[in-house]
Amino acid sequence: MKFYIMTLFPEMVMQTLSASITGRAMDRGDLLVEAVNIRDYSKDKHKSVDDYPYGGGAGMVMQAQPVFDCFESIRNRIEGSYKCIYLTPQGRLFDQKVAEELKTEENLILLCGHYEGIDERVLEEIVDDNISIGDYILTGGELPAIVMVDAIARLLPGVLHNQESAIGESFTDNLLEYPQYSRPAVWHDREVPPILLSGDHAKVDEWRYQQSLMRTRERRPDLLQ
Ligand code: 9D3
């Protein structure tokens, strides 16, 4: 899968994704990410990409022309199929199900807005789906795009190492994870739960499942319906 990120802040996107697991996957070629600067498609001598909103109101609106030309330059380079997604507070909510759905795409073009938004006419021409990452206000679509790439990338073949990918996501679906402990066995007078040191794997599994249930009831009762 290849991600194209249309943005006014390409360095922010590339620098963030170049760290950690996604960065290593990019180095190996298991994850392809290209951030494309919308400003490079401005035809203005001052390289401006925004203007005042028709009808008045606060702030500025990103103009249709640079966004469309940026999209066209990407589309012309794509061989197979693609989906263009606009990151917007007015989108459907991103969750694990949506990540699973999108991991099957050959190419994803993620459009990041800034200012008060983007001229609706170009959105009507190029956008296939609208996505929000949650009901809180950010300053732009870059962090949401990074979140989406990270969540989808770890579902792709080769991105995670076997150990990381095999675990979780089984019958404990829809439960929060149980607490983890490592050495030393006593820290600040706190002991590791003795069952975990017993070597009885059936008992350990049962204890972890009970911890997951308790934790979910306490912190995320909505997950239990
Ligand atoms: C006039 C009202 N606006 C500011 C309070 C609307 C507005 C415009 C642009 C609000 C946020 C943004 C920038 N946010 C995104 O582009 C965005 C976003 C988000 O803010 N929260 C969750 N998901 C997303 S996806 C894109």
Side-chain angles (χ1 to χ4, degrees), residues 16-77:
T16 307
L17 289 172
S18 294
S20 189
I21 293 173
T22 49
R24 270 177 274 131
M26 287 164 71
D27 292 342
R28 290 196 303 267
D30 292 324
L31 170 63
L32 304 174
V33 182
E34 183 178 330
V36 185
N37 194 341
I38 295 168
R39 197 174 296 282
D40 289 347
Y41 297 86
S42 168
K43 287 183 168 158
D44 191 85
K45 67 175 173 207
H46 300 107
K47 292 257 171 243
S48 74
V49 293
D50 61 327
D51 206 336
Y52 298 98
Y54 277 121
M60 305 291 272
V61 173
M62 281 173 74
Q63 292 165 288
Q65 175 269 318
V67 172
F68 186 74
D69 290 353
C70 181
F71 171 79
E72 280 291 281
S73 83
I74 293 167
R75 201 185 52 104
N76 282 329
R77 292 190 286 118

Short mmCIF file of all heavy atoms in Angstrom, two decimals, residues 16-77:
data_model
loop_
_atom_site.label_atom_id
_atom_site.label_comp_id
_atom_site.label_asym_id
_atom_site.label_seq_id
_atom_site.Cartn_x
_atom_site.Cartn_y
_atom_site.Cartn_z
N THR A 16 7.55 12.75 11.53
CA THR A 16 6.86 11.95 12.55
C THR A 16 6.83 10.48 12.15
O THR A 16 7.15 9.60 12.96
CB THR A 16 5.42 12.46 12.77
OG1 THR A 16 5.48 13.87 13.04
CG2 THR A 16 4.76 11.74 13.92
N LEU A 17 6.47 10.22 10.88
CA LEU A 17 6.35 8.82 10.46
C LEU A 17 7.71 8.15 10.30
O LEU A 17 7.80 6.92 10.32
CB LEU A 17 5.55 8.73 9.16
CG LEU A 17 4.05 9.03 9.31
CD1 LEU A 17 3.38 9.12 7.95
CD2 LEU A 17 3.36 7.98 10.18
N SER A 18 8.79 8.95 10.17
CA SER A 18 10.13 8.37 10.02
C SER A 18 10.68 7.82 11.32
O SER A 18 11.69 7.12 11.33
CB SER A 18 11.11 9.42 9.47
OG SER A 18 10.73 9.76 8.15
N ALA A 19 10.02 8.13 12.44
CA ALA A 19 10.46 7.60 13.74
C ALA A 19 9.85 6.21 13.97
O ALA A 19 8.83 5.86 13.39
CB ALA A 19 10.03 8.55 14.86
N SER A 20 10.53 5.41 14.79
CA SER A 20 9.96 4.18 15.34
C SER A 20 9.57 3.13 14.30
O SER A 20 10.23 3.00 13.27
CB SER A 20 8.76 4.55 16.22
OG SER A 20 8.29 3.44 16.93
N ILE A 21 8.50 2.39 14.58
CA ILE A 21 8.14 1.21 13.78
C ILE A 21 7.80 1.59 12.34
O ILE A 21 8.22 0.93 11.39
CB ILE A 21 6.96 0.46 14.44
CG1 ILE A 21 7.42 -0.15 15.77
CG2 ILE A 21 6.42 -0.63 13.51
CD1 ILE A 21 6.29 -0.76 16.59
N THR A 22 7.05 2.68 12.15
CA THR A 22 6.69 3.10 10.79
C THR A 22 7.92 3.52 10.00
O THR A 22 8.03 3.24 8.80
CB THR A 22 5.66 4.26 10.80
OG1 THR A 22 6.11 5.27 11.70
CG2 THR A 22 4.28 3.77 11.22
N GLY A 23 8.87 4.15 10.67
CA GLY A 23 10.11 4.57 10.02
C GLY A 23 10.91 3.37 9.52
O GLY A 23 11.41 3.37 8.40
N ARG A 24 11.00 2.33 10.36
CA ARG A 24 11.73 1.14 9.96
C ARG A 24 11.02 0.43 8.81
O ARG A 24 11.67 -0.05 7.87
CB ARG A 24 11.94 0.21 11.16
CG ARG A 24 13.24 0.50 11.91
CD ARG A 24 13.41 -0.36 13.15
NE ARG A 24 12.72 0.26 14.29
CZ ARG A 24 11.89 -0.37 15.11
NH1 ARG A 24 11.63 -1.65 14.92
NH2 ARG A 24 11.34 0.28 16.11
N ALA A 25 9.69 0.40 8.85
CA ALA A 25 8.92 -0.21 7.76
C ALA A 25 9.14 0.56 6.46
O ALA A 25 9.22 -0.02 5.38
CB ALA A 25 7.43 -0.25 8.11
N MET A 26 9.25 1.90 6.55
CA MET A 26 9.52 2.72 5.36
C MET A 26 10.93 2.42 4.82
O MET A 26 11.11 2.29 3.61
CB MET A 26 9.38 4.21 5.69
CG MET A 26 7.92 4.64 5.88
SD MET A 26 7.75 6.24 6.71
CE MET A 26 8.31 7.37 5.46
N ASP A 27 11.90 2.31 5.72
CA ASP A 27 13.29 1.99 5.30
C ASP A 27 13.34 0.66 4.56
O ASP A 27 14.09 0.51 3.60
CB ASP A 27 14.22 1.92 6.52
CG ASP A 27 14.42 3.29 7.18
OD1 ASP A 27 14.14 4.31 6.50
OD2 ASP A 27 14.85 3.33 8.34
N ARG A 28 12.54 -0.32 5.03
CA ARG A 28 12.55 -1.65 4.41
C ARG A 28 11.74 -1.70 3.11
O ARG A 28 11.80 -2.67 2.38
CB ARG A 28 11.95 -2.68 5.38
CG ARG A 28 12.78 -3.00 6.61
CD ARG A 28 12.26 -4.29 7.25
NE ARG A 28 10.85 -4.20 7.60
CZ ARG A 28 10.40 -3.82 8.77
NH1 ARG A 28 11.23 -3.50 9.75
NH2 ARG A 28 9.10 -3.75 8.99
N GLY A 29 10.90 -0.66 2.89
CA GLY A 29 10.03 -0.65 1.72
C GLY A 29 8.73 -1.40 1.93
O GLY A 29 7.96 -1.62 0.98
N ASP A 30 8.42 -1.78 3.19
CA ASP A 30 7.14 -2.42 3.49
C ASP A 30 6.02 -1.39 3.60
O ASP A 30 4.83 -1.73 3.57
CB ASP A 30 7.23 -3.23 4.80
CG ASP A 30 8.14 -4.44 4.65
OD1 ASP A 30 8.12 -5.05 3.56
OD2 ASP A 30 8.87 -4.77 5.62
N LEU A 31 6.39 -0.13 3.78
CA LEU A 31 5.42 0.97 3.91
C LEU A 31 5.92 2.13 3.05
O LEU A 31 7.05 2.57 3.20
CB LEU A 31 5.32 1.40 5.38
CG LEU A 31 4.54 2.68 5.68
CD1 LEU A 31 3.07 2.52 5.28
CD2 LEU A 31 4.65 3.02 7.16
N LEU A 32 5.08 2.58 2.12
CA LEU A 32 5.46 3.68 1.24
C LEU A 32 4.63 4.91 1.58
O LEU A 32 3.40 4.86 1.58
CB LEU A 32 5.24 3.27 -0.23
CG LEU A 32 5.95 1.99 -0.67
CD1 LEU A 32 5.55 1.59 -2.09
CD2 LEU A 32 7.47 2.16 -0.59
N VAL A 33 5.32 6.00 1.90
CA VAL A 33 4.64 7.25 2.25
C VAL A 33 5.29 8.39 1.48
O VAL A 33 6.52 8.51 1.46
CB VAL A 33 4.73 7.57 3.76
CG1 VAL A 33 3.96 8.84 4.09
CG2 VAL A 33 4.21 6.41 4.60
N GLU A 34 4.46 9.22 0.85
CA GLU A 34 4.98 10.41 0.16
C GLU A 34 4.11 11.59 0.57
O GLU A 34 2.90 11.57 0.35
CB GLU A 34 4.91 10.18 -1.36
CG GLU A 34 5.49 11.31 -2.16
CD GLU A 34 5.46 11.02 -3.67
OE1 GLU A 34 5.55 9.84 -4.09
OE2 GLU A 34 5.34 12.00 -4.43
N ALA A 35 4.72 12.60 1.19
CA ALA A 35 4.00 13.82 1.53
C ALA A 35 4.19 14.82 0.39
O ALA A 35 5.32 15.08 -0.03
CB ALA A 35 4.51 14.39 2.85
N VAL A 36 3.10 15.36 -0.13
CA VAL A 36 3.15 16.28 -1.26
C VAL A 36 2.68 17.66 -0.79
O VAL A 36 1.61 17.78 -0.18
CB VAL A 36 2.28 15.78 -2.43
CG1 VAL A 36 2.46 16.68 -3.64
CG2 VAL A 36 2.64 14.33 -2.78
N ASN A 37 3.51 18.67 -1.04
CA ASN A 37 3.23 20.04 -0.56
C ASN A 37 2.24 20.74 -1.50
O ASN A 37 2.57 21.05 -2.65
CB ASN A 37 4.53 20.82 -0.47
CG ASN A 37 4.36 22.10 0.34
OD1 ASN A 37 3.25 22.59 0.53
ND2 ASN A 37 5.47 22.64 0.81
N ILE A 38 1.05 21.02 -0.99
CA ILE A 38 0.02 21.69 -1.80
C ILE A 38 0.52 23.06 -2.28
O ILE A 38 0.19 23.51 -3.37
CB ILE A 38 -1.28 21.84 -0.97
CG1 ILE A 38 -1.87 20.45 -0.64
CG2 ILE A 38 -2.31 22.68 -1.73
CD1 ILE A 38 -2.98 20.48 0.39
N ARG A 39 1.36 23.71 -1.45
CA ARG A 39 1.87 25.05 -1.81
C ARG A 39 2.69 25.02 -3.10
O ARG A 39 2.76 26.02 -3.83
CB ARG A 39 2.70 25.63 -0.65
CG ARG A 39 2.92 27.14 -0.75
CD ARG A 39 3.61 27.71 0.48
NE ARG A 39 2.84 27.57 1.70
CZ ARG A 39 1.82 28.35 2.03
NH1 ARG A 39 1.44 29.34 1.24
NH2 ARG A 39 1.17 28.16 3.16
N ASP A 40 3.32 23.88 -3.42
CA ASP A 40 4.09 23.77 -4.66
C ASP A 40 3.21 23.94 -5.89
O ASP A 40 3.72 24.12 -7.00
CB ASP A 40 4.79 22.40 -4.74
CG ASP A 40 5.94 22.28 -3.75
OD1 ASP A 40 6.35 23.32 -3.18
OD2 ASP A 40 6.42 21.14 -3.54
N TYR A 41 1.89 23.86 -5.73
CA TYR A 41 0.96 23.96 -6.86
C TYR A 41 0.25 25.31 -6.92
O TYR A 41 -0.64 25.51 -7.74
CB TYR A 41 -0.03 22.79 -6.84
CG TYR A 41 0.73 21.49 -7.01
CD1 TYR A 41 1.30 20.84 -5.91
CD2 TYR A 41 0.97 20.98 -8.29
CE1 TYR A 41 2.05 19.70 -6.08
CE2 TYR A 41 1.73 19.83 -8.46
CZ TYR A 41 2.26 19.20 -7.35
OH TYR A 41 3.03 18.08 -7.52
N SER A 42 0.69 26.24 -6.05
CA SER A 42 0.17 27.60 -6.11
C SER A 42 0.68 28.26 -7.39
O SER A 42 1.82 28.03 -7.81
CB SER A 42 0.66 28.40 -4.90
OG SER A 42 0.38 29.77 -5.10
N LYS A 43 -0.19 29.06 -8.05
CA LYS A 43 0.25 29.77 -9.26
C LYS A 43 0.47 31.25 -8.96
O LYS A 43 0.77 32.05 -9.83
CB LYS A 43 -0.78 29.59 -10.39
CG LYS A 43 -0.73 28.17 -10.94
CD LYS A 43 -1.68 27.96 -12.10
CE LYS A 43 -1.39 26.64 -12.80
NZ LYS A 43 -2.56 26.16 -13.57
N ASP A 44 0.34 31.56 -7.68
CA ASP A 44 0.47 32.92 -7.17
C ASP A 44 1.95 33.25 -6.98
O ASP A 44 2.73 32.38 -6.60
CB ASP A 44 -0.27 32.95 -5.83
CG ASP A 44 -0.45 34.33 -5.30
OD1 ASP A 44 -1.42 34.99 -5.69
OD2 ASP A 44 0.41 34.74 -4.50
N LYS A 45 2.36 34.51 -7.24
CA LYS A 45 3.78 34.85 -7.08
C LYS A 45 4.19 34.82 -5.61
O LYS A 45 5.37 34.66 -5.29
CB LYS A 45 4.12 36.20 -7.73
CG LYS A 45 3.48 37.40 -7.05
CD LYS A 45 3.94 38.73 -7.65
CE LYS A 45 3.13 39.88 -7.04
NZ LYS A 45 3.00 41.05 -7.87
N HIS A 46 3.22 34.96 -4.69
CA HIS A 46 3.53 34.86 -3.26
C HIS A 46 3.30 33.45 -2.72
O HIS A 46 3.34 33.23 -1.52
CB HIS A 46 2.71 35.88 -2.45
CG HIS A 46 2.96 37.30 -2.86
ND1 HIS A 46 2.05 38.03 -3.59
CD2 HIS A 46 4.05 38.11 -2.67
CE1 HIS A 46 2.54 39.24 -3.83
NE2 HIS A 46 3.75 39.31 -3.29
N LYS A 47 3.03 32.52 -3.61
CA LYS A 47 2.80 31.10 -3.24
C LYS A 47 1.62 30.93 -2.29
O LYS A 47 1.59 30.02 -1.46
CB LYS A 47 4.07 30.48 -2.61
CG LYS A 47 5.24 30.33 -3.58
CD LYS A 47 5.40 28.88 -4.03
CE LYS A 47 6.42 28.73 -5.16
NZ LYS A 47 5.85 28.22 -6.40
N SER A 48 0.64 31.82 -2.38
CA SER A 48 -0.50 31.71 -1.46
C SER A 48 -1.47 30.63 -1.94
O SER A 48 -1.57 30.33 -3.14
CB SER A 48 -1.20 33.07 -1.33
OG SER A 48 -1.94 33.34 -2.49
N VAL A 49 -2.13 30.00 -0.98
CA VAL A 49 -3.05 28.90 -1.27
C VAL A 49 -4.43 29.13 -0.65
O VAL A 49 -5.30 28.27 -0.73
CB VAL A 49 -2.49 27.56 -0.73
CG1 VAL A 49 -1.24 27.15 -1.50
CG2 VAL A 49 -2.20 27.65 0.77
N ASP A 50 -4.62 30.30 0.01
CA ASP A 50 -5.88 30.57 0.70
C ASP A 50 -6.40 31.97 0.37
O ASP A 50 -5.66 32.81 -0.13
CB ASP A 50 -5.70 30.42 2.21
CG ASP A 50 -4.67 31.41 2.77
OD1 ASP A 50 -3.70 31.74 2.05
OD2 ASP A 50 -4.84 31.86 3.90
N ASP A 51 -7.69 32.17 0.64
CA ASP A 51 -8.31 33.47 0.38
C ASP A 51 -9.51 33.63 1.31
O ASP A 51 -9.90 32.68 1.99
CB ASP A 51 -8.71 33.57 -1.11
CG ASP A 51 -8.76 35.02 -1.61
OD1 ASP A 51 -8.94 35.95 -0.78
OD2 ASP A 51 -8.62 35.21 -2.84
N TYR A 52 -10.12 34.82 1.28
CA TYR A 52 -11.25 35.10 2.16
C TYR A 52 -12.47 34.27 1.77
O TYR A 52 -12.67 33.99 0.59
CB TYR A 52 -11.59 36.59 2.12
CG TYR A 52 -10.43 37.45 2.60
CD1 TYR A 52 -9.55 38.05 1.70
CD2 TYR A 52 -10.20 37.59 3.97
CE1 TYR A 52 -8.47 38.80 2.15
CE2 TYR A 52 -9.12 38.35 4.44
CZ TYR A 52 -8.26 38.94 3.53
OH TYR A 52 -7.19 39.68 3.98
N PRO A 53 -13.30 33.92 2.76
CA PRO A 53 -14.50 33.14 2.44
C PRO A 53 -15.59 34.01 1.80
O PRO A 53 -15.87 35.09 2.32
CB PRO A 53 -14.96 32.60 3.80
CG PRO A 53 -14.36 33.53 4.81
CD PRO A 53 -13.11 34.11 4.21
N TYR A 54 -16.17 33.56 0.68
CA TYR A 54 -17.37 34.22 0.15
C TYR A 54 -18.45 34.17 1.22
O TYR A 54 -18.61 33.15 1.91
CB TYR A 54 -17.87 33.48 -1.10
CG TYR A 54 -17.15 33.88 -2.37
CD1 TYR A 54 -16.46 32.93 -3.12
CD2 TYR A 54 -17.19 35.20 -2.82
CE1 TYR A 54 -15.82 33.28 -4.30
CE2 TYR A 54 -16.53 35.57 -4.00
CZ TYR A 54 -15.86 34.60 -4.73
OH TYR A 54 -15.23 34.97 -5.89
N GLY A 55 -19.20 35.26 1.36
CA GLY A 55 -20.26 35.32 2.37
C GLY A 55 -19.79 35.85 3.70
O GLY A 55 -20.59 36.05 4.62
N GLY A 56 -18.44 36.04 3.82
CA GLY A 56 -17.88 36.61 5.04
C GLY A 56 -17.63 35.57 6.11
O GLY A 56 -17.84 34.37 5.90
N GLY A 57 -17.15 36.02 7.25
CA GLY A 57 -16.81 35.13 8.36
C GLY A 57 -15.34 35.15 8.66
O GLY A 57 -14.54 35.71 7.90
N ALA A 58 -14.99 34.54 9.79
CA ALA A 58 -13.61 34.56 10.26
C ALA A 58 -12.73 33.63 9.44
O ALA A 58 -13.20 32.65 8.87
CB ALA A 58 -13.56 34.15 11.72
N GLY A 59 -11.44 33.95 9.39
CA GLY A 59 -10.45 33.04 8.83
C GLY A 59 -10.41 33.00 7.32
O GLY A 59 -11.03 33.81 6.64
N MET A 60 -9.65 32.02 6.83
CA MET A 60 -9.38 31.88 5.41
C MET A 60 -9.80 30.50 4.94
O MET A 60 -9.93 29.58 5.74
CB MET A 60 -7.89 32.08 5.13
CG MET A 60 -7.33 33.38 5.65
SD MET A 60 -7.96 34.80 4.75
CE MET A 60 -6.77 34.89 3.41
N VAL A 61 -9.98 30.38 3.61
CA VAL A 61 -10.38 29.10 3.02
C VAL A 61 -9.31 28.69 2.01
O VAL A 61 -8.82 29.51 1.24
CB VAL A 61 -11.75 29.25 2.31
CG1 VAL A 61 -12.09 27.99 1.53
CG2 VAL A 61 -12.84 29.58 3.33
N MET A 62 -8.92 27.41 2.01
CA MET A 62 -7.97 26.91 1.01
C MET A 62 -8.66 26.89 -0.35
O MET A 62 -9.76 26.37 -0.49
CB MET A 62 -7.44 25.52 1.39
CG MET A 62 -6.35 25.58 2.46
SD MET A 62 -5.88 23.95 3.05
CE MET A 62 -4.93 23.35 1.66
N GLN A 63 -7.96 27.42 -1.35
CA GLN A 63 -8.54 27.56 -2.68
C GLN A 63 -8.54 26.24 -3.45
O GLN A 63 -7.69 25.37 -3.23
CB GLN A 63 -7.78 28.62 -3.47
CG GLN A 63 -7.98 30.02 -2.92
CD GLN A 63 -6.95 30.98 -3.47
OE1 GLN A 63 -5.78 30.91 -3.10
NE2 GLN A 63 -7.38 31.87 -4.33
N ALA A 64 -9.47 26.12 -4.38
CA ALA A 64 -9.65 24.88 -5.13
C ALA A 64 -8.44 24.55 -6.03
O ALA A 64 -8.01 23.40 -6.10
CB ALA A 64 -10.92 24.96 -5.97
N GLN A 65 -7.91 25.56 -6.73
CA GLN A 65 -6.90 25.31 -7.76
C GLN A 65 -5.64 24.57 -7.28
O GLN A 65 -5.27 23.53 -7.86
CB GLN A 65 -6.54 26.62 -8.49
CG GLN A 65 -5.40 26.50 -9.50
CD GLN A 65 -4.05 26.78 -8.87
OE1 GLN A 65 -3.90 27.70 -8.08
NE2 GLN A 65 -3.03 25.97 -9.21
N PRO A 66 -4.96 25.06 -6.23
CA PRO A 66 -3.75 24.32 -5.82
C PRO A 66 -4.04 22.91 -5.33
O PRO A 66 -3.25 21.98 -5.57
CB PRO A 66 -3.12 25.18 -4.71
CG PRO A 66 -4.05 26.33 -4.47
CD PRO A 66 -5.14 26.30 -5.47
N VAL A 67 -5.17 22.74 -4.65
CA VAL A 67 -5.55 21.41 -4.15
C VAL A 67 -5.82 20.48 -5.34
O VAL A 67 -5.33 19.35 -5.37
CB VAL A 67 -6.79 21.49 -3.22
CG1 VAL A 67 -7.29 20.09 -2.86
CG2 VAL A 67 -6.47 22.30 -1.96
N PHE A 68 -6.53 20.98 -6.34
CA PHE A 68 -6.86 20.13 -7.50
C PHE A 68 -5.60 19.77 -8.29
O PHE A 68 -5.40 18.61 -8.66
CB PHE A 68 -7.87 20.83 -8.42
CG PHE A 68 -8.32 19.95 -9.54
CD1 PHE A 68 -9.20 18.90 -9.31
CD2 PHE A 68 -7.85 20.15 -10.83
CE1 PHE A 68 -9.62 18.06 -10.34
CE2 PHE A 68 -8.26 19.31 -11.87
CZ PHE A 68 -9.14 18.28 -11.63
N ASP A 69 -4.73 20.76 -8.53
CA ASP A 69 -3.51 20.49 -9.31
C ASP A 69 -2.58 19.51 -8.57
O ASP A 69 -1.95 18.66 -9.20
CB ASP A 69 -2.77 21.80 -9.63
CG ASP A 69 -3.54 22.65 -10.64
OD1 ASP A 69 -4.55 22.17 -11.17
OD2 ASP A 69 -3.12 23.81 -10.87
N CYS A 70 -2.52 19.64 -7.26
CA CYS A 70 -1.73 18.72 -6.44
C CYS A 70 -2.29 17.30 -6.58
O CYS A 70 -1.54 16.34 -6.83
CB CYS A 70 -1.76 19.19 -4.98
SG CYS A 70 -0.79 18.16 -3.87
N PHE A 71 -3.61 17.18 -6.46
CA PHE A 71 -4.28 15.89 -6.61
C PHE A 71 -4.02 15.28 -7.99
O PHE A 71 -3.68 14.10 -8.11
CB PHE A 71 -5.79 16.06 -6.37
CG PHE A 71 -6.60 14.83 -6.72
CD1 PHE A 71 -6.67 13.76 -5.84
CD2 PHE A 71 -7.28 14.75 -7.92
CE1 PHE A 71 -7.40 12.63 -6.15
CE2 PHE A 71 -8.01 13.62 -8.25
CZ PHE A 71 -8.08 12.56 -7.36
N GLU A 72 -4.14 16.09 -9.03
CA GLU A 72 -3.94 15.61 -10.40
C GLU A 72 -2.52 15.08 -10.61
O GLU A 72 -2.32 14.06 -11.28
CB GLU A 72 -4.22 16.73 -11.40
CG GLU A 72 -5.70 16.93 -11.67
CD GLU A 72 -6.30 15.76 -12.45
OE1 GLU A 72 -6.11 15.71 -13.67
OE2 GLU A 72 -6.95 14.90 -11.81
N SER A 73 -1.54 15.79 -10.03
CA SER A 73 -0.14 15.35 -10.20
C SER A 73 0.08 13.99 -9.54
O SER A 73 0.85 13.17 -10.04
CB SER A 73 0.83 16.39 -9.63
OG SER A 73 0.98 16.23 -8.24
N ILE A 74 -0.60 13.76 -8.43
CA ILE A 74 -0.50 12.46 -7.75
C ILE A 74 -1.23 11.40 -8.57
O ILE A 74 -0.69 10.32 -8.86
CB ILE A 74 -1.08 12.54 -6.32
CG1 ILE A 74 -0.22 13.44 -5.44
CG2 ILE A 74 -1.21 11.14 -5.71
CD1 ILE A 74 -0.86 13.83 -4.12
N ARG A 75 -2.46 11.71 -8.97
CA ARG A 75 -3.30 10.74 -9.69
C ARG A 75 -2.62 10.27 -10.99
O ARG A 75 -2.67 9.10 -11.34
CB ARG A 75 -4.65 11.37 -10.02
CG ARG A 75 -5.76 10.37 -10.31
CD ARG A 75 -7.02 11.10 -10.75
NE ARG A 75 -6.72 12.02 -11.85
CZ ARG A 75 -7.02 11.79 -13.12
NH1 ARG A 75 -7.64 10.68 -13.46
NH2 ARG A 75 -6.72 12.67 -14.06
N ASN A 76 -1.94 11.20 -11.66
CA ASN A 76 -1.24 10.87 -12.92
C ASN A 76 -0.10 9.89 -12.71
O ASN A 76 0.33 9.24 -13.66
CB ASN A 76 -0.69 12.15 -13.58
CG ASN A 76 -1.78 12.92 -14.29
OD1 ASN A 76 -2.75 12.35 -14.79
ND2 ASN A 76 -1.65 14.25 -14.32
N ARG A 77 0.41 9.82 -11.47
CA ARG A 77 1.54 8.92 -11.19
C ARG A 77 1.08 7.58 -10.62
O ARG A 77 1.89 6.67 -10.48
CB ARG A 77 2.52 9.59 -10.21
CG ARG A 77 3.24 10.78 -10.83
CD ARG A 77 4.37 11.30 -9.96
NE ARG A 77 3.90 12.02 -8.79
CZ ARG A 77 4.13 11.66 -7.55
NH1 ARG A 77 4.80 10.55 -7.29
NH2 ARG A 77 3.69 12.38 -6.55
#
